[in-house]
Amino acid sequence: MTRWERRHLRNGLLFASPWIAGFVLFALYPLLMSIYYSFTAYNVVQPPVWVGLDNYRELFFEDPLFWKSLYNTLYFTAFSVPLSLIFSITLALLLNQKVAGISVFRTVFFLPSIVPVVASAVLWLWVLNPDSGLINSALRGWVGIEGPGWLADARWSKPSLILMSLWSVGGAMVIFLAGLADVPQTLYEVAELDGAGPVNKFLHVTLPMLTPTILFNMVMGLIMAFQYFTQVYVMTGGLGTPVDSTMFYALYLYRSSFYYLRMGYASAMAWMLFVVILVATLGVLYSSRKWVFYHGD
Amino acid sequence: MATKRMRRVAAMAALVALSITFIMPFMWMLSTSFKHESRIFPPPGEPPYWMPVTDVRDEKGRLLVQYGGKVVPDLGVDDFGLHRLLVDGEEVGAWDHEVEPLLRSGLHWENYRRAFEMMDFRRNLKNTLFICFAAVLGTVLSSAIVAYSFARIPWRGRDAVFILVLATMMLPYQVTLIPLFSLYSRLGWVGSFKPLIVPYWFGVPFYIFLLRQFFKGIPEDLSAAARIDGCSEFGIFARIILPLSKPALATTALFMFLFQWGDFLNPLIYLQDHTQYTLAVALQQFQSQHENAWGPLMAMGTVITLPVIALFFLAQRTFIQGITLSGLKG
């Protein structure tokens, strides 16, 4: 090693040392402990007691609520992620038309995504209120029909949350806008020379060029959706009502750990969640080889 | 050309319709927050009512109500639940259902007053600002130092370690939640602000990544020249790189502030006493105790949301650049 290499190694480690210490304390240690706890009965107050695979056995074979919460989460993810993608691309495409007042529209679409989640959850609780909320009183007064019970109705509770999630697609929209700005103008000119209309230009130029951005937003959306918690905690008072229809995985995990103090059981749940997220993410990344198009680099 | 113009008109129409839809919930919040409680719940079958409505007082500040076809001052409610009314110079007791509030268009500030009272607003705001400030400062300083190592010092093994940084971003918080809670409770940190601040002084992977992207864009010659001149690594970091990175540092501070301002799960778990609550937790607690107090609830929602919207307008460019930087260069 040369003098410079030694100096760089020393300085590099020194500058990275806050993260290295943080990694050991706040990531590696908890990670290992979490594996250990998942094989124990543990309530924080007393020391953990080894129970082998009991937590996992209970999860898979004796706990219908585990499966229910997994189903609810997959349902939510399966609808909210693709719908949010389509919606945010649509907004970005509309904003990409050269019309007046773009910055105003962009602001309007973006703002809901930075509102504190608790505030937007309380607001939507009021918007979706079956008796006097904005949507149902508009339906009643202007259209003359009776709206659904939204969050009070087990059939509508998940669609309500999916609808609400579409209100906060602003972040993804901004990323798509930047992606659209990066599409080389020459490609459109070439397509026009070939006689492509707007539909063909979208299908054969815009969409392929956006696929890396779609992949990024899709993976981020998946990870967020699987961990969906605050909205449903606030909107159902932490209960996942009605009849467990909004008992999402992260909420059930929270209840297991901090209501029932079953920290060992909840650790096993956390690992199952990690596996589900990993499989879903890797699945998307694997499939992306077939549909993501990288231009140039 | 005609079809191009048609397309533009159609896009405009769609944008206007969608913006109105997006804005409506905000307007609903604002309008509810300024409405007298008797107008918050519209009569059945009526469309949404938007105009703020408030009560009317006489020149002595007494509430005016309608009673038996007359407008009379209400002196307050006595121990029996009777409204003490002043009718033709005489004091009369009347039940709630006999009295109709006199209303006019106008902002009903009472909701804000009630929300502030019921929530211990000042203390919640002070807690939130303290936690935000301490966490933002820690995040910016520590993430910048660590990002410098990954962006500007060519040490052996650096890229492998950086992959580890990225990998920790993928780790769902649920996995570390319980061991960290257990660790903090053994340290006696549960019920204090420490779990909401200390971890952010050890570099936050997302911001390390974001700042690294930015630092990498600064010409390498600057560092090389300074090194040959005998400048220390910390000197290069503090005197060359940091001053050139103000936009990225501002983005980090801004995003982290927003995250802390709205964070719910961590304060929910670690703050155990209502005197410690942040605004987000206080709002949720308030909501769970007063489910139908929509006036004060929307007032509080407005108060928590307004600083965020104000920040956006002050730092619009920082926002958009930050999101783009984190999203595209990934």
Side-chain angles (χ1 to χ4, degrees):
Chain A
M1 234 192 262
T2 67
R3 194 171 64 88
W4 277 105
E5 276 173 346
R6 264 203 306 278
R7 182 186 151 166
H8 284 322
L9 184 63
R10 197 192 60 219
N11 282 328
L13 288 174
L14 195 64
F15 274 74
S17 61
W19 177 79
I20 295 170
F23 172 74
V24 172
L25 273 173
F26 304 117
L28 188 62
Y29 164 77
L31 199 71
L32 297 175
M33 288 311 278
S34 174
I35 299 176
Y36 167 61
Y37 289 151
S38 78
F39 297 109
T40 66
Y42 181 42
N43 63 6
V44 181
V45 187
Q46 284 139 335
V49 178
W50 185 265
V51 295
L53 286 168
D54 276 6
N55 288 328
Y56 290 95
R57 189 167 57 227
E58 187 182 339
L59 270 184
F60 285 123
F61 303 112
E62 290 154 32
D63 188 354
L65 201 51
F66 163 76
W67 291 106
K68 175 95 186 168
S69 67
L70 189 61
Y71 164 77
N72 286 339
T73 306
L74 289 174
Y75 180 111
F76 176 80
T77 309
F79 284 96
S80 90
V81 173
L83 286 175
S84 299
L85 281 175
I86 293 170
F87 194 47
S88 50
I89 293 179
T90 310
L91 290 178
L93 284 172
L94 283 171
L95 285 177
N96 209 37
Q97 306 294 317
K98 311 277 173 280
V99 297
I102 282 303
S103 65
V104 178
F105 291 124
R106 190 182 64 185
T107 304
V108 168
F109 297 144
F110 179 67
L111 278 184
S113 68
I114 53 169
V115 171
V117 177
V118 177
S120 67
V122 173
L123 168 57
W124 276 83
L125 212 45
W126 178 221
V127 167
L128 293 170
N129 184 293
D131 299 318
S132 321
L134 175 62
I135 296 185
N136 276 9
S137 48
L139 286 175
R140 214 176 287 135
W142 290 334
V143 190
I145 55 170
E146 189 56 39
W150 299 114
L151 289 160
D153 183 337
R155 281 168 307 166
W156 282 90
S157 53
K158 281 189 285 286
S160 304
L161 295 171
I162 293 164
L163 178 74
M164 189 179 110
S165 73
L166 294 183
W167 191 54
S168 36
V169 296
M173 179 200 73
V174 171
I175 295 176
F176 277 126
L177 262 178
L180 283 174
D182 276 358
V183 180
Q185 210 52 43
T186 48
L187 289 181
Y188 289 112
E189 285 156 18
V190 171
E192 256 170 55
L193 283 179
D194 285 348
V199 177
N200 274 323
K201 271 196 280 185
F202 172 73
L203 286 178
H204 299 295
V205 179
T206 314
L207 209 53
M209 294 300 288
L210 270 188
T211 47
T213 322
I214 294 176
L215 176 65
F216 175 81
N217 279 330
M218 188 186 282
V219 170
M220 286 300 160
L222 270 178
I223 293 174
M224 299 281 278
F226 278 121
Q227 302 184 44
Y228 192 71
F229 172 79
T230 303
Q231 290 88 337
V232 79
Y233 183 91
V234 174
M235 296 175 91
T236 68
L239 296 173
T241 48
V243 285
D244 297 328
S245 65
T246 60
M247 183 58 85
F248 286 91
Y249 199 95
L251 180 60
Y252 185 41
L253 196 155
Y254 174 84
R255 286 182 67 84
S256 300
S257 36
F258 295 100
Y259 279 42
Y260 310 128
L261 292 179
R262 302 190 63 197
M263 302 282 182
Y265 193 62
S267 297
M269 282 190 74
W271 279 98
M272 287 302 106
L273 179 66
F274 188 34
V275 169
V276 170
I277 292 179
L278 203 65
V279 167
T281 311
L282 290 179
V284 168
L285 289 177
Y286 183 76
S287 80
S288 74
R289 283 195 262 169
K290 297 230 168 66
W291 58 268
V292 172
F293 173 77
Y294 288 101
H295 174 73
D297 51 26
Chain B
M1 255 2 241
T3 54
K4 212 161 209 175
R5 187 173 310 146
M6 290 243 298
R7 255 174 60 208
R8 224 169 258 184
V9 171
M12 190 70 176
L15 282 170
V16 170
L18 282 165
S19 319
I20 292 173
T21 318
F22 264 69
I23 282 257
M24 278 259 223
F26 282 127
M27 287 300 155
W28 187 237
M29 172 161 81
L30 210 57
S31 129
T32 305
S33 78
F34 282 116
K35 259 190 260 176
H36 191 268
E37 60 262 31
S38 68
R39 279 306 180 90
I40 282 177
F41 300 97
E46 297 244 326
Y49 187 80
W50 295 93
M51 275 307 286
V53 166
T54 186
D55 38 32
V56 183
R57 288 166 190 273
D58 65 8
E59 67 279 2
K60 287 181 184 155
R62 296 177 301 198
L63 210 61
L64 291 178
V65 293
Q66 289 168 299
Y67 172 70
K70 282 186 193 152
V71 174
V72 295
D74 186 341
L75 305 177
V77 179
D78 66 15
D79 295 343
F80 302 102
L82 283 166
H83 287 263
R84 307 307 304 179
L85 306 177
L86 201 61
V87 183
D88 302 326
E90 250 176 86
E91 214 178 296
V92 177
W95 294 108
D96 214 33
H97 67 267
E98 299 174 296
V99 179
E100 184 79 18
L102 187 66
L103 298 174
R104 65 177 173 87
S105 307
L107 303 181
H108 192 60
W109 288 101
E110 180 67 15
N111 290 328
Y112 286 82
R113 205 183 57 77
R114 273 182 62 202
F116 286 168
E117 259 177 30
M118 289 152 105
M119 263 183 52
D120 200 358
F121 176 76
R122 257 166 210 251
R123 202 194 285 259
N124 298 146
L125 178 66
K126 221 176 78 187
N127 295 340
T128 313
L129 286 177
F130 177 77
I131 294 170
C132 280
F133 180 75
V136 167
L137 191 69
T139 303
V140 173
L141 288 179
S142 62
S143 304
I145 290 177
V146 175
Y148 180 83
S149 170
F150 288 116
R152 313 282 305 186
I153 307 176
W155 49 283
R156 190 180 283 184
R158 179 182 73 170
D159 295 337
V161 177
F162 188 65
I163 288 175
L164 205 55
V165 177
L166 296 182
T168 56
M169 276 205 283
M170 295 285 136
L171 196 66
Y173 70 84
Q174 285 88 352
V175 173
T176 52
L177 181 73
I178 290 160
L180 283 179
F181 181 82
S182 159
L183 174 70
Y184 296 147
S185 77
R186 270 174 286 148
L187 289 171
W189 286 9
V190 173
S192 81
F193 293 158
K194 285 182 198 131
L196 308 178
I197 295 171
V198 176
Y200 298 110
W201 285 78
F202 290 86
V204 181
F206 175 75
Y207 300 106
I208 295 175
F209 171 70
L210 195 137
L211 290 167
R212 172 182 172 270
Q213 298 302 101
F214 194 90
F215 291 168
K216 267 178 123 44
I218 299 170
E220 199 57 53
D221 306 354
L222 287 177
S223 299
R227 274 191 200 121
I228 287 162
D229 287 348
C231 190
S232 75
E233 211 58 54
F234 189 80
I236 303 175
F237 167 69
R239 269 179 266 138
I240 298 175
I241 302 298
L242 280 192
L244 287 172
S245 307
K246 279 181 198 141
L249 297 171
T251 304
T252 304
L254 185 67
F255 282 12
M256 191 58 201
F257 178 84
L258 278 187
F259 169 76
Q260 278 292 344
W261 181 262
D263 188 24
F264 178 68
L265 180 64
N266 289 314
L268 177 73
I269 291 173
Y270 293 116
L271 304 180
Q272 302 199 313
D273 181 341
H274 67 93
T275 58
Q276 299 179 326
Y277 283 167
T278 60
L279 285 171
V281 176
L283 176 61
Q284 188 273 328
Q285 295 286 321
F286 181 56
Q287 190 276 330
S288 66
Q289 286 153 19
H290 308 273
E291 277 191 348
N292 283 312
W294 291 113
L297 274 171
M298 290 301 112
M300 219 52 241
T302 307
V303 168
I304 294 185
T305 304
L306 270 184
V308 171
I309 294 182
L311 257 184
F312 175 77
F313 280 105
L314 287 174
Q316 204 170 145
R317 192 174 302 179
T318 310
F319 260 102
I320 304 293
Q321 276 173 352
I323 294 174
T324 315
L325 193 66
S326 63
L328 277 192
K329 311 281 162 59

